[in-house]
Amino acid sequence: MPEATPFLWFDDDAENAIAFYTELIPESAIVSMGKYPDEVPGMGGKVMHAHFRLAGRDYYAMDAGPQFPFTEAISLYVSCADQAEVDRYWDALTADGGQEQPCGWLKDRWGLSWQIIPDRLIELIRHPDPETAHRAVQAMLTMHRIDIAALEAAAAGA
């Protein structure tokens, strides 16, 4: 059966992005990386084709110029077990030019959108009591980085 694998188009810094992602996320590795030959004008030494894994999932990437920048229409979702994990990913991905976005979203320094979402948020917004779920959603809408303690307080009506 064929697989659908994300393929990321970077302007000109795929190698650094891939190295950063594979160091940040456990169970990740660079599988292969081929570079454009020096004879390709403006592209010599840049990534022509890379295969890497993030948390065991395959991705491909290339450097191909600024024609098609990343948008929020695609994002990478990171499910976090606790606040420490949220903070670790958030701090790393917003460093060096990353941008905080509302509701647990951010853009990293390469412009790729990420959702850094604690499992507890999903539990609270799916709570069987609609009022509890509503309070959790309303609290989330005021946040950039998700704060689990603040979510729980809001959900409890505090």
Side-chain angles (χ1 to χ4, degrees):
M1 179 181 309
E3 292 185 12
T5 304
F7 198 114
L8 305 176
W9 172 312
F10 289 86
D11 181 358
D12 69 354
D13 202 21
E15 186 171 8
N16 286 326
I18 293 165
F20 177 77
Y21 300 155
T22 56
E23 289 173 19
L24 177 65
I25 298 173
E27 299 179 43
S28 299
I30 298 170
V31 177
S32 65
M33 187 175 297
K35 299 198 177 170
Y36 290 100
D38 290 336
E39 296 76 33
V40 178
M43 298 303 285
K46 296 181 182 181
V47 175
M48 184 169 63
H49 186 272
H51 175 197
F52 62 105
R53 290 193 180 106
L54 298 179
R57 180 171 296 205
D58 287 321
Y59 290 81
Y60 294 95
M62 68 187 299
D63 285 321
Q67 297 90 330
F68 300 108
F70 294 121
T71 74
E72 293 83 355
I74 184 87
S75 63
L76 300 184
Y77 183 100
V78 179
S79 177
C80 299
D82 55 30
Q83 190 67 51
E85 207 168 36
V86 168
D87 293 344
R88 183 173 90 74
Y89 287 114
W90 192 270
D91 291 341
L93 290 163
T94 57
D96 299 324
Q99 301 171 358
E100 294 188 4
Q101 304 286 312
C103 304
W105 289 58
L106 61 85
K107 285 187 181 182
D108 67 22
R109 70 188 96 168
W110 296 279
L112 184 60
S113 291
W114 295 74
Q115 297 180 59
I116 308 302
I117 306 298
D119 297 336
R120 186 66 177 136
L121 170 62
I122 303 307
E123 293 167 4
L124 289 170
I125 65 175
R126 292 181 179 164
H127 197 281
D129 173 33
E131 288 301 314
T132 299
H134 177 73
R135 288 190 299 267
V137 168
Q138 292 306 305
M140 177 202 62
L141 292 173
T142 69
M143 299 176 182
H144 283 184
R145 177 191 318 229
I146 302 299
D147 179 332
I148 297 171
L151 277 175
E152 290 176 334

